[in-house]
Amino acid sequence: MPDQSKLFPDHRRLSGERYTVETFRAAYDLPLQEAKRLYDKFGPSKRELDLLMRARKNPAQFLNF
């Protein structure tokens, strides 16, 4: 199976507003190391990081669709 990141290289560029590591950390009161790990893994997209954090807070809401 092809690597998804290579199929959609512009995805992160088109995803709207962006966080900096510091604004993301502050928004969710995360330790710096955790904020950097998530930011590096999922990118700067505010939409994607907000969705990730909602899923971490209440995973059940994403399992019943």
Side-chain angles (χ1 to χ4, degrees):
M1 178 169 212
D3 179 12
Q4 292 293 324
S5 65
K6 292 180 182 170
L7 294 176
F8 303 102
D10 294 328
H11 171 72
R12 289 206 170 113
R13 196 171 343 129
L14 300 174
S15 59
E17 292 181 60
R18 296 170 182 248
Y19 276 123
T20 64
V21 173
E22 184 54 35
T23 57
F24 175 56
R25 187 201 65 73
Y28 291 100
D29 195 29
L30 296 169
L32 182 58
Q33 290 296 97
E34 179 68 357
K36 287 180 80 164
R37 184 184 73 79
L38 294 171
Y39 188 90
D40 289 344
K41 185 169 185 171
F42 295 99
S45 170
K46 185 176 187 312
R47 182 176 59 191
E48 291 180 31
L49 290 170
D50 289 344
L51 184 61
L52 169 71
M53 296 308 289
R54 278 188 21 220
R56 284 179 57 162
K57 184 176 181 180
N58 184 7
Q61 72 180 340
F62 293 92
L63 299 176
N64 298 319
F65 54 90

